Short mmCIF file of all heavy atoms in Angstrom, two decimals:
data_model
loop_
_atom_site.label_atom_id
_atom_site.label_comp_id
_atom_site.label_asym_id
_atom_site.label_seq_id
_atom_site.Cartn_x
_atom_site.Cartn_y
_atom_site.Cartn_z
N MET A 1 0.90 -1.14 -0.01
CA MET A 1 0.00 -0.03 0.05
C MET A 1 0.92 1.24 -0.05
O MET A 1 1.73 1.42 0.89
CB MET A 1 -0.89 -0.05 1.28
CG MET A 1 -1.81 1.16 1.38
SD MET A 1 -3.05 1.08 2.71
CE MET A 1 -2.58 -0.23 3.77
N ALA A 2 0.75 2.05 -0.96
CA ALA A 2 1.51 3.28 -1.11
C ALA A 2 0.93 4.43 -0.30
O ALA A 2 -0.34 4.63 -0.38
CB ALA A 2 1.73 3.70 -2.58
N GLY A 3 1.68 5.19 0.39
CA GLY A 3 1.15 6.41 1.11
C GLY A 3 0.38 5.96 2.33
O GLY A 3 0.40 4.81 2.80
N ARG A 4 -0.30 6.94 2.93
CA ARG A 4 -1.04 6.66 4.16
C ARG A 4 -2.37 5.98 3.83
O ARG A 4 -3.01 6.31 2.83
CB ARG A 4 -1.29 8.01 4.85
CG ARG A 4 -0.03 8.75 5.17
CD ARG A 4 -0.21 9.92 6.04
NE ARG A 4 -1.27 10.85 5.51
CZ ARG A 4 -1.68 11.87 6.21
NH1 ARG A 4 -1.21 12.23 7.35
NH2 ARG A 4 -2.65 12.67 5.63
N PRO A 5 -2.81 5.07 4.65
CA PRO A 5 -4.10 4.42 4.44
C PRO A 5 -5.25 5.38 4.55
O PRO A 5 -5.23 6.32 5.49
CB PRO A 5 -4.14 3.30 5.43
CG PRO A 5 -3.17 3.71 6.50
CD PRO A 5 -2.13 4.52 5.90
N LEU A 6 -6.26 5.27 3.73
CA LEU A 6 -7.48 6.09 3.85
C LEU A 6 -8.46 5.44 4.78
O LEU A 6 -8.96 4.29 4.44
CB LEU A 6 -8.07 6.28 2.40
CG LEU A 6 -9.30 7.23 2.28
CD1 LEU A 6 -8.94 8.63 2.82
CD2 LEU A 6 -9.81 7.23 0.90
N ILE A 7 -8.80 6.06 5.87
CA ILE A 7 -9.64 5.48 6.88
C ILE A 7 -10.90 6.28 6.98
O ILE A 7 -10.93 7.49 7.21
CB ILE A 7 -8.94 5.51 8.29
CG1 ILE A 7 -7.55 4.95 8.25
CG2 ILE A 7 -9.83 4.81 9.31
CD1 ILE A 7 -7.45 3.54 7.77
N GLY A 8 -12.05 5.61 6.72
CA GLY A 8 -13.40 6.29 6.76
C GLY A 8 -13.88 6.35 8.22
O GLY A 8 -13.77 5.37 8.99
N ILE A 9 -14.41 7.49 8.57
CA ILE A 9 -15.04 7.71 9.92
C ILE A 9 -16.47 8.28 9.64
O ILE A 9 -16.62 9.29 9.00
CB ILE A 9 -14.23 8.73 10.72
CG1 ILE A 9 -12.77 8.36 10.77
CG2 ILE A 9 -14.81 8.90 12.11
CD1 ILE A 9 -11.88 9.40 11.39
N SER A 10 -17.42 7.50 10.12
CA SER A 10 -18.77 7.95 9.92
C SER A 10 -19.13 9.12 10.81
O SER A 10 -18.60 9.32 11.93
CB SER A 10 -19.76 6.82 10.23
OG SER A 10 -19.61 6.36 11.58
N THR A 11 -19.94 10.06 10.28
CA THR A 11 -20.44 11.20 10.99
C THR A 11 -21.89 11.13 11.28
O THR A 11 -22.51 10.12 10.86
CB THR A 11 -20.18 12.53 10.12
OG1 THR A 11 -21.01 12.40 8.93
CG2 THR A 11 -18.75 12.70 9.72
N TYR A 12 -22.38 12.04 11.99
CA TYR A 12 -23.83 12.03 12.28
C TYR A 12 -24.39 13.44 11.87
O TYR A 12 -23.63 14.40 11.89
CB TYR A 12 -24.13 11.71 13.76
CG TYR A 12 -23.58 12.71 14.72
CD1 TYR A 12 -24.33 13.75 15.17
CD2 TYR A 12 -22.25 12.60 15.23
CE1 TYR A 12 -23.77 14.67 16.09
CE2 TYR A 12 -21.72 13.47 16.13
CZ TYR A 12 -22.50 14.52 16.54
OH TYR A 12 -21.97 15.48 17.42
N LEU A 13 -25.67 13.49 11.62
CA LEU A 13 -26.29 14.79 11.31
C LEU A 13 -26.81 15.45 12.53
O LEU A 13 -27.40 14.83 13.48
CB LEU A 13 -27.50 14.56 10.35
CG LEU A 13 -27.17 14.17 8.96
CD1 LEU A 13 -28.43 13.96 8.15
CD2 LEU A 13 -26.23 15.14 8.26
N GLU A 14 -26.43 16.71 12.60
CA GLU A 14 -26.94 17.65 13.68
C GLU A 14 -27.80 18.64 12.99
O GLU A 14 -27.37 19.31 12.01
CB GLU A 14 -25.70 18.31 14.32
CG GLU A 14 -26.13 19.23 15.48
CD GLU A 14 -26.80 18.53 16.65
OE1 GLU A 14 -26.30 17.39 16.96
OE2 GLU A 14 -27.70 19.05 17.20
N ALA A 15 -29.09 18.70 13.45
CA ALA A 15 -30.04 19.54 12.78
C ALA A 15 -29.72 21.10 12.83
O ALA A 15 -30.03 21.85 11.95
CB ALA A 15 -31.42 19.36 13.38
N ALA A 16 -29.14 21.50 13.95
CA ALA A 16 -28.86 22.97 14.10
C ALA A 16 -27.54 23.18 14.72
O ALA A 16 -27.43 23.58 15.91
CB ALA A 16 -29.98 23.57 14.97
N ALA A 17 -26.42 22.97 13.96
CA ALA A 17 -25.09 23.28 14.46
C ALA A 17 -24.85 24.84 14.31
O ALA A 17 -25.32 25.42 13.35
CB ALA A 17 -24.03 22.53 13.71
N ARG A 18 -24.15 25.36 15.29
CA ARG A 18 -23.93 26.83 15.26
C ARG A 18 -22.47 27.20 15.14
O ARG A 18 -21.64 26.61 15.81
CB ARG A 18 -24.50 27.43 16.55
CG ARG A 18 -26.05 27.22 16.65
CD ARG A 18 -26.55 27.98 17.76
NE ARG A 18 -26.40 29.37 17.44
CZ ARG A 18 -26.88 30.38 18.18
NH1 ARG A 18 -27.43 30.11 19.35
NH2 ARG A 18 -26.78 31.58 17.79
N TRP A 19 -22.23 28.13 14.30
CA TRP A 19 -20.93 28.76 14.08
C TRP A 19 -21.13 30.23 14.05
O TRP A 19 -21.67 30.76 13.06
CB TRP A 19 -20.24 28.34 12.76
CG TRP A 19 -19.79 26.99 12.70
CD1 TRP A 19 -18.57 26.43 13.14
CD2 TRP A 19 -20.52 25.75 12.23
NE1 TRP A 19 -18.52 25.10 12.92
CE2 TRP A 19 -19.72 24.65 12.38
CE3 TRP A 19 -21.81 25.64 11.72
CZ2 TRP A 19 -20.13 23.41 12.04
CZ3 TRP A 19 -22.26 24.36 11.37
CH2 TRP A 19 -21.36 23.28 11.53
N GLY A 20 -20.74 30.95 15.06
CA GLY A 20 -20.89 32.40 15.14
C GLY A 20 -22.44 32.63 15.00
O GLY A 20 -23.22 32.15 15.77
N THR A 21 -22.77 33.38 13.91
CA THR A 21 -24.22 33.81 13.82
C THR A 21 -24.95 32.76 12.85
O THR A 21 -26.13 32.89 12.72
CB THR A 21 -24.35 35.16 13.21
OG1 THR A 21 -23.66 35.21 11.94
CG2 THR A 21 -23.76 36.19 14.12
N TRP A 22 -24.21 31.81 12.30
CA TRP A 22 -24.83 30.79 11.42
C TRP A 22 -25.43 29.65 12.28
O TRP A 22 -24.80 29.22 13.20
CB TRP A 22 -23.79 30.29 10.52
CG TRP A 22 -23.28 31.21 9.47
CD1 TRP A 22 -23.20 32.54 9.58
CD2 TRP A 22 -22.73 30.90 8.21
NE1 TRP A 22 -22.64 33.09 8.48
CE2 TRP A 22 -22.32 32.12 7.60
CE3 TRP A 22 -22.43 29.72 7.54
CZ2 TRP A 22 -21.75 32.16 6.39
CZ3 TRP A 22 -21.84 29.76 6.30
CH2 TRP A 22 -21.50 30.94 5.73
N GLU A 23 -26.52 29.13 11.79
CA GLU A 23 -27.11 27.95 12.37
C GLU A 23 -27.55 27.07 11.16
O GLU A 23 -28.46 27.41 10.40
CB GLU A 23 -28.25 28.29 13.24
CG GLU A 23 -28.85 27.03 13.91
CD GLU A 23 -29.88 27.41 15.03
OE1 GLU A 23 -29.63 28.27 15.80
OE2 GLU A 23 -30.94 26.75 15.01
N LEU A 24 -26.88 25.97 10.97
CA LEU A 24 -27.12 25.11 9.79
C LEU A 24 -27.10 23.62 10.19
O LEU A 24 -26.48 23.27 11.17
CB LEU A 24 -25.97 25.33 8.78
CG LEU A 24 -25.77 26.75 8.25
CD1 LEU A 24 -24.48 26.74 7.48
CD2 LEU A 24 -26.88 27.12 7.30
N GLU A 25 -27.75 22.82 9.33
CA GLU A 25 -27.58 21.41 9.50
C GLU A 25 -26.10 21.01 9.06
O GLU A 25 -25.57 21.61 8.20
CB GLU A 25 -28.55 20.67 8.55
CG GLU A 25 -28.52 19.15 8.64
CD GLU A 25 -29.56 18.52 7.80
OE1 GLU A 25 -29.78 18.94 6.65
OE2 GLU A 25 -30.11 17.45 8.23
N ALA A 26 -25.57 20.16 9.88
CA ALA A 26 -24.17 19.75 9.64
C ALA A 26 -23.92 18.25 9.89
O ALA A 26 -24.57 17.69 10.69
CB ALA A 26 -23.28 20.63 10.55
N ALA A 27 -22.96 17.69 9.22
CA ALA A 27 -22.43 16.34 9.45
C ALA A 27 -21.25 16.52 10.36
O ALA A 27 -20.30 17.14 10.01
CB ALA A 27 -22.07 15.65 8.13
N LEU A 28 -21.29 15.92 11.55
CA LEU A 28 -20.26 16.16 12.58
C LEU A 28 -19.71 14.83 13.16
O LEU A 28 -20.37 13.80 13.00
CB LEU A 28 -20.90 16.93 13.78
CG LEU A 28 -21.53 18.25 13.45
CD1 LEU A 28 -22.28 18.83 14.67
CD2 LEU A 28 -20.49 19.22 12.98
N LEU A 29 -18.53 14.96 13.82
CA LEU A 29 -18.02 13.94 14.68
C LEU A 29 -17.04 14.56 15.67
O LEU A 29 -16.54 15.63 15.36
CB LEU A 29 -17.30 12.83 13.83
CG LEU A 29 -15.93 13.17 13.27
CD1 LEU A 29 -15.13 11.91 13.24
CD2 LEU A 29 -16.07 13.68 11.83
N PRO A 30 -16.76 13.89 16.74
CA PRO A 30 -15.84 14.48 17.70
C PRO A 30 -14.46 14.58 17.01
O PRO A 30 -13.97 13.72 16.29
CB PRO A 30 -15.80 13.37 18.82
CG PRO A 30 -17.17 12.78 18.76
CD PRO A 30 -17.46 12.70 17.31
N ALA A 31 -13.79 15.74 17.28
CA ALA A 31 -12.49 16.04 16.64
C ALA A 31 -11.42 14.98 17.00
O ALA A 31 -10.47 14.80 16.24
CB ALA A 31 -12.02 17.44 17.04
N GLY A 32 -11.56 14.31 18.14
CA GLY A 32 -10.54 13.31 18.49
C GLY A 32 -10.47 12.15 17.54
O GLY A 32 -9.43 11.50 17.41
N TYR A 33 -11.55 11.78 16.86
CA TYR A 33 -11.59 10.60 15.95
C TYR A 33 -10.59 10.82 14.81
O TYR A 33 -9.74 9.96 14.64
CB TYR A 33 -12.98 10.38 15.50
CG TYR A 33 -14.00 9.84 16.47
CD1 TYR A 33 -13.71 9.80 17.83
CD2 TYR A 33 -15.26 9.57 16.13
CE1 TYR A 33 -14.63 9.36 18.75
CE2 TYR A 33 -16.25 9.04 17.08
CZ TYR A 33 -15.87 9.05 18.36
OH TYR A 33 -16.80 8.58 19.26
N PRO A 34 -10.71 11.90 14.05
CA PRO A 34 -9.72 12.00 12.97
C PRO A 34 -8.25 12.21 13.51
O PRO A 34 -7.30 11.79 12.88
CB PRO A 34 -10.19 13.24 12.18
CG PRO A 34 -11.17 13.92 13.03
CD PRO A 34 -11.72 12.90 13.95
N ARG A 35 -8.16 12.89 14.64
CA ARG A 35 -6.83 13.01 15.24
C ARG A 35 -6.14 11.65 15.56
O ARG A 35 -4.93 11.48 15.29
CB ARG A 35 -6.89 13.84 16.54
CG ARG A 35 -7.09 15.29 16.28
CD ARG A 35 -6.93 16.11 17.61
NE ARG A 35 -7.44 17.43 17.40
CZ ARG A 35 -8.36 17.99 18.19
NH1 ARG A 35 -8.83 17.33 19.26
NH2 ARG A 35 -8.82 19.21 17.93
N LEU A 36 -6.93 10.73 16.08
CA LEU A 36 -6.40 9.42 16.39
C LEU A 36 -5.96 8.66 15.15
O LEU A 36 -4.96 7.97 15.07
CB LEU A 36 -7.40 8.63 17.17
CG LEU A 36 -7.64 9.06 18.59
CD1 LEU A 36 -8.79 8.39 19.24
CD2 LEU A 36 -6.37 8.86 19.40
N VAL A 37 -6.75 8.83 14.06
CA VAL A 37 -6.41 8.18 12.75
C VAL A 37 -5.12 8.84 12.27
O VAL A 37 -4.19 8.08 11.83
CB VAL A 37 -7.56 8.35 11.71
CG1 VAL A 37 -7.12 7.97 10.36
CG2 VAL A 37 -8.78 7.56 12.13
N GLN A 38 -5.00 10.14 12.33
CA GLN A 38 -3.80 10.79 11.84
C GLN A 38 -2.53 10.44 12.68
O GLN A 38 -1.53 10.18 12.09
CB GLN A 38 -4.01 12.30 11.88
CG GLN A 38 -5.09 12.78 10.88
CD GLN A 38 -5.67 14.08 11.14
OE1 GLN A 38 -5.43 14.69 12.17
NE2 GLN A 38 -6.46 14.61 10.19
N ARG A 39 -2.68 10.34 13.97
CA ARG A 39 -1.61 9.96 14.87
C ARG A 39 -1.11 8.56 14.55
O ARG A 39 0.01 8.22 14.68
CB ARG A 39 -2.01 10.02 16.30
CG ARG A 39 -2.00 11.46 16.84
CD ARG A 39 -2.26 11.42 18.35
NE ARG A 39 -2.70 12.75 18.68
CZ ARG A 39 -3.42 12.98 19.78
NH1 ARG A 39 -3.84 11.94 20.58
NH2 ARG A 39 -3.80 14.17 20.07
N ALA A 40 -2.02 7.67 14.09
CA ALA A 40 -1.65 6.29 13.76
C ALA A 40 -1.10 6.22 12.34
O ALA A 40 -0.79 5.10 11.85
CB ALA A 40 -2.93 5.39 13.88
N GLY A 41 -1.01 7.31 11.60
CA GLY A 41 -0.41 7.32 10.32
C GLY A 41 -1.41 7.27 9.16
O GLY A 41 -1.02 7.22 7.98
N GLY A 42 -2.71 7.30 9.41
CA GLY A 42 -3.74 7.24 8.44
C GLY A 42 -4.25 8.65 7.98
O GLY A 42 -3.89 9.63 8.53
N LEU A 43 -4.98 8.63 6.90
CA LEU A 43 -5.63 9.83 6.39
C LEU A 43 -7.09 9.71 6.69
O LEU A 43 -7.72 8.80 6.15
CB LEU A 43 -5.31 9.90 4.91
CG LEU A 43 -5.92 11.05 4.13
CD1 LEU A 43 -5.42 12.47 4.68
CD2 LEU A 43 -5.69 11.01 2.62
N ALA A 44 -7.65 10.54 7.48
CA ALA A 44 -9.08 10.44 7.90
C ALA A 44 -9.93 11.02 6.84
O ALA A 44 -9.73 12.08 6.34
CB ALA A 44 -9.26 11.14 9.18
N ALA A 45 -11.04 10.23 6.50
CA ALA A 45 -12.00 10.66 5.54
C ALA A 45 -13.41 10.63 6.26
O ALA A 45 -13.88 9.66 6.71
CB ALA A 45 -12.09 9.77 4.33
N MET A 46 -14.01 11.87 6.45
CA MET A 46 -15.20 11.99 7.11
C MET A 46 -16.33 11.55 6.19
O MET A 46 -16.39 12.01 5.02
CB MET A 46 -15.43 13.44 7.60
CG MET A 46 -14.52 13.86 8.65
SD MET A 46 -14.61 15.57 9.13
CE MET A 46 -16.30 15.78 9.60
N LEU A 47 -17.14 10.62 6.55
CA LEU A 47 -18.24 10.05 5.75
C LEU A 47 -19.57 10.58 6.27
O LEU A 47 -20.12 10.03 7.24
CB LEU A 47 -18.19 8.54 5.79
CG LEU A 47 -16.88 7.90 5.35
CD1 LEU A 47 -16.93 6.37 5.64
CD2 LEU A 47 -16.55 8.24 3.95
N PRO A 48 -20.17 11.54 5.59
CA PRO A 48 -21.49 11.95 5.99
C PRO A 48 -22.56 10.93 5.64
O PRO A 48 -22.33 10.06 4.74
CB PRO A 48 -21.75 13.19 5.16
CG PRO A 48 -20.88 13.07 3.97
CD PRO A 48 -19.72 12.26 4.40
N PRO A 49 -23.69 10.89 6.30
CA PRO A 49 -24.75 9.97 5.95
C PRO A 49 -25.15 10.12 4.47
O PRO A 49 -25.14 11.28 3.95
CB PRO A 49 -25.96 10.37 6.89
CG PRO A 49 -25.26 11.10 8.09
CD PRO A 49 -24.08 11.79 7.46
N ASP A 50 -25.40 9.00 3.88
CA ASP A 50 -25.76 8.96 2.40
C ASP A 50 -26.76 7.83 2.24
O ASP A 50 -27.04 7.07 3.11
CB ASP A 50 -24.46 8.72 1.62
CG ASP A 50 -24.56 9.19 0.18
OD1 ASP A 50 -25.70 9.31 -0.33
OD2 ASP A 50 -23.57 9.42 -0.48
N ALA A 51 -27.22 7.73 1.05
CA ALA A 51 -28.18 6.67 0.66
C ALA A 51 -27.55 5.32 0.78
O ALA A 51 -26.37 5.15 0.31
CB ALA A 51 -28.69 6.87 -0.78
N PRO A 52 -28.22 4.31 1.33
CA PRO A 52 -27.60 3.03 1.51
C PRO A 52 -27.08 2.36 0.23
O PRO A 52 -26.10 1.68 0.28
CB PRO A 52 -28.84 2.16 2.11
CG PRO A 52 -29.67 3.17 2.69
CD PRO A 52 -29.56 4.42 1.90
N GLU A 53 -27.62 2.67 -0.86
CA GLU A 53 -27.18 2.09 -2.14
C GLU A 53 -25.82 2.59 -2.55
O GLU A 53 -25.17 2.00 -3.44
CB GLU A 53 -28.21 2.31 -3.30
CG GLU A 53 -28.46 3.73 -3.62
CD GLU A 53 -29.66 4.30 -2.92
OE1 GLU A 53 -30.10 3.83 -1.89
OE2 GLU A 53 -30.14 5.41 -3.40
N HIS A 54 -25.29 3.62 -1.94
CA HIS A 54 -23.95 4.11 -2.21
C HIS A 54 -22.87 3.54 -1.33
O HIS A 54 -21.65 3.72 -1.49
CB HIS A 54 -23.91 5.62 -2.14
CG HIS A 54 -24.80 6.31 -3.08
ND1 HIS A 54 -24.69 6.27 -4.44
CD2 HIS A 54 -25.85 7.13 -2.88
CE1 HIS A 54 -25.63 6.97 -5.02
NE2 HIS A 54 -26.42 7.49 -4.12
N ALA A 55 -23.31 2.85 -0.23
CA ALA A 55 -22.34 2.37 0.72
C ALA A 55 -21.29 1.39 0.18
O ALA A 55 -20.11 1.55 0.47
CB ALA A 55 -23.15 1.64 1.94
N THR A 56 -21.66 0.47 -0.59
CA THR A 56 -20.69 -0.54 -1.11
C THR A 56 -19.62 0.15 -1.93
O THR A 56 -18.39 -0.07 -1.72
CB THR A 56 -21.39 -1.60 -2.01
OG1 THR A 56 -22.30 -2.26 -1.13
CG2 THR A 56 -20.41 -2.60 -2.51
N ALA A 57 -19.97 1.04 -2.82
CA ALA A 57 -18.99 1.77 -3.59
C ALA A 57 -18.08 2.68 -2.80
O ALA A 57 -16.93 2.82 -3.10
CB ALA A 57 -19.63 2.57 -4.75
N THR A 58 -18.67 3.29 -1.82
CA THR A 58 -17.90 4.20 -0.94
C THR A 58 -16.87 3.45 -0.17
O THR A 58 -15.67 3.79 -0.13
CB THR A 58 -18.82 5.04 0.01
OG1 THR A 58 -19.75 5.77 -0.84
CG2 THR A 58 -18.07 5.92 0.91
N VAL A 59 -17.30 2.38 0.52
CA VAL A 59 -16.42 1.59 1.35
C VAL A 59 -15.34 0.94 0.55
O VAL A 59 -14.14 0.75 0.98
CB VAL A 59 -17.21 0.59 2.23
CG1 VAL A 59 -16.30 -0.41 2.94
CG2 VAL A 59 -18.12 1.32 3.17
N ALA A 60 -15.54 0.64 -0.70
CA ALA A 60 -14.62 -0.04 -1.56
C ALA A 60 -13.41 0.84 -1.85
O ALA A 60 -12.24 0.43 -2.19
CB ALA A 60 -15.23 -0.46 -2.87
N ARG A 61 -13.59 2.19 -1.70
CA ARG A 61 -12.55 3.15 -1.90
C ARG A 61 -11.62 3.36 -0.73
O ARG A 61 -10.56 3.99 -0.86
CB ARG A 61 -13.12 4.42 -2.35
CG ARG A 61 -13.91 4.33 -3.64
CD ARG A 61 -14.69 5.63 -3.99
NE ARG A 61 -13.80 6.32 -4.91
CZ ARG A 61 -14.12 7.53 -5.43
NH1 ARG A 61 -15.27 8.06 -5.11
NH2 ARG A 61 -13.29 8.16 -6.21
N LEU A 62 -12.04 2.80 0.38
CA LEU A 62 -11.32 3.05 1.66
C LEU A 62 -10.37 1.83 1.94
O LEU A 62 -10.64 0.70 1.48
CB LEU A 62 -12.29 3.14 2.85
CG LEU A 62 -13.36 4.24 2.73
CD1 LEU A 62 -14.35 4.07 3.85
CD2 LEU A 62 -12.68 5.62 2.76
N ASP A 63 -9.38 2.10 2.76
CA ASP A 63 -8.51 1.05 3.22
C ASP A 63 -9.03 0.41 4.49
O ASP A 63 -8.72 -0.72 4.84
CB ASP A 63 -7.04 1.55 3.43
CG ASP A 63 -6.43 2.01 2.13
OD1 ASP A 63 -6.38 1.17 1.19
OD2 ASP A 63 -6.00 3.18 2.06
N ALA A 64 -9.83 1.17 5.24
CA ALA A 64 -10.38 0.69 6.50
C ALA A 64 -11.54 1.65 6.83
O ALA A 64 -11.69 2.73 6.30
CB ALA A 64 -9.39 0.64 7.60
N LEU A 65 -12.40 1.18 7.76
CA LEU A 65 -13.50 1.91 8.24
C LEU A 65 -13.54 1.95 9.72
O LEU A 65 -13.25 1.03 10.37
CB LEU A 65 -14.85 1.29 7.74
CG LEU A 65 -16.10 1.98 8.03
CD1 LEU A 65 -16.20 3.34 7.33
CD2 LEU A 65 -17.26 1.11 7.54
#
């Protein structure tokens, strides 16, 4: 495997995330998750919720989940 492994991390939807004066729906996860993947030498890929029929093709592009 060349380069850093691509590791998928699932996110969750938050209906009303706030940044300053903005309030928007957002796909989130605790910041420690990608940090741990990066510390282990991986490249973290945040995976927002998607239609189930896309799951197989998405996971096939990852080295791990």
Side-chain angles (χ1 to χ4, degrees):
M1 179 174 13
R4 300 187 312 171
L6 183 61
I7 310 301
I9 305 172
S10 60
T11 63
Y12 63 94
L13 289 179
E14 180 65 37
R18 297 189 68 178
W19 290 272
T21 59
W22 293 25
E23 186 171 312
L24 301 169
E25 182 177 38
L28 304 171
L29 75 147
Y33 293 3
R35 283 189 196 127
L36 290 170
V37 169
Q38 292 160 350
R39 284 186 198 154
L43 179 61
M46 294 174 57
L47 304 173
D50 203 337
E53 61 267 19
H54 299 297
T56 300
T58 300
V59 172
R61 301 173 92 178
L62 303 172
D63 296 307
L65 183 63

